[in-house]
Amino acid sequence: DGVDIIGQAPTGTGKTVAFSIPVLENIDANFNKVQAIIIAPTRELAVQITKEVNKVASLMDGVKAVAVYGGEPIEKQITALKKRPQIIVATPGRLMDHMRRCTVRLDNVKVVVLDEADEMLNMGFRDDINAILEETKTDHQTLLFSATFSKEIEEIARQFMNDAKKISVQEKSLTVSLIDQYYIDVYQKDKIEVISRIIDINEYQLSMVFCNTKKDVDEVTSDLLTR
């Protein structure tokens, strides 16, 4: 209905498709200007959202989404933007880069989505978010999604949203009964030792290790291979 929305939902509850479908329904396929921007905290999430949006958009003629994010040559993204996508999925810093270069213009934006807004604020993107929303001067719908509601999120809603409706989705259980979860408080310098001992003691043949950054992934892989 075009109402501004603040949505509280944990990861894995299907919110990407929930906002993608109405966003796509509001896109004019015959108008090759940016009509929707979806802002996400990380390149991984931006890529994931773009895949989901394009999966639904494949059922429509002439509508496409492009992801722009840091850590990739900006020239490659400029080439993709020249194909005139109607939807941009972006990390805040890289979107600001494109706005400064005028390779992304927000003159025709109908919908702005802030996904995982709490994570973006935790990562220090508040000023970038403010600048992007201030630059979006068109009459548009704003959808803000966050796992938690903080004072900062309330401030963004107060400053940039109109009579936003709050919707909260609580997942009854985020884990399967067959999975046991544990956490271990450990100093950074001891992590590899602890991981190695856990694998060794339990004689695990298959394991998955998740890290925060590409650099961490490289270092952990190297350390574990050495051992």
Side-chain angles (χ1 to χ4, degrees):
D1 294 332
V3 177
D4 285 359
I5 290 172
I6 301 173
Q8 184 178 21
T11 302
T13 46
K15 67 180 184 296
T16 303
V17 172
F19 68 68
S20 295
I21 292 172
V23 165
L24 285 163
E25 286 182 338
N26 280 298
I27 296 295
D28 181 352
N30 298 313
F31 187 51
N32 292 327
K33 300 284 185 182
V34 177
Q35 299 170 50
I37 54 171
I38 302 170
I39 307 167
T42 64
R43 61 182 291 176
E44 290 82 9
L45 185 57
V47 169
Q48 181 184 324
I49 291 170
T50 306
K51 284 180 180 175
E52 290 289 330
V53 171
N54 280 328
K55 196 185 293 181
V56 182
S58 66
L59 303 172
M60 307 166 70
D61 284 332
V63 178
K64 57 184 174 294
V66 164
V68 297
Y69 46 81
E72 179 183 76
I74 198 165
E75 291 75 17
K76 182 180 176 183
Q77 294 171 1
I78 290 171
T79 301
L81 291 168
K82 284 179 179 174
K83 295 177 181 175
R84 306 212 166 192
Q86 295 93 345
I87 303 167
I88 303 289
V89 186
T91 51
R94 183 48 65 94
L95 180 57
M96 290 285 292
D97 290 342
H98 282 287
M99 288 163 61
R100 281 189 285 267
R101 290 168 177 250
C102 295
T103 46
V104 171
R105 301 181 70 91
L106 307 181
D107 305 342
N108 298 282
V109 168
K110 301 187 212 173
V111 186
V112 176
V113 181
L114 301 172
D115 196 13
E116 298 201 1
D118 49 350
E119 281 300 310
M120 287 194 276
L121 295 177
N122 290 340
M123 293 167 73
F125 286 129
R126 175 65 191 270
D127 290 344
D128 287 350
I129 290 169
N130 285 357
I132 292 163
L133 294 176
E134 283 167 5
E135 192 66 26
T136 313
K137 295 181 170 62
T138 54
D139 183 18
H140 62 274
Q141 180 185 27
T142 304
L143 310 174
L144 184 153
F145 296 95
S146 179
T148 58
F149 288 153
S150 63
K151 278 188 177 178
E152 278 191 296
I153 284 174
E154 287 176 6
E155 284 170 15
I156 289 172
R158 200 161 45 244
Q159 187 175 353
F160 297 107
M161 302 176 80
N162 297 314
D163 298 323
K165 183 176 181 179
K166 284 188 177 179
I167 298 173
S168 183
V169 176
Q170 296 299 330
E171 186 74 5
K172 290 177 184 175
S173 176
L174 293 177
T175 58
V176 181
S177 58
L178 297 175
I179 297 173
D180 293 325
Q181 297 191 60
Y182 304 91
Y183 74 90
I184 302 171
D185 280 328
V186 61
Y187 289 113
Q188 179 72 31
K189 63 182 178 62
D190 297 329
K191 280 187 177 181
I192 292 297
E193 181 65 31
V194 172
I195 291 170
S196 299
R197 288 192 183 192
I198 290 170
I199 293 171
D200 195 31
I201 290 166
N202 292 283
E203 296 183 347
Y204 290 138
Q205 299 301 307
L206 287 171
S207 304
M208 292 182 74
V209 181
F210 293 94
C211 304
N212 281 340
T213 66
K214 180 178 182 295
K215 182 171 177 286
D216 288 343
V217 169
D218 291 340
E219 289 177 357
V220 170
T221 302
S222 175
D223 290 341
L224 290 177
L225 284 171
T226 301
R227 285 173 178 258

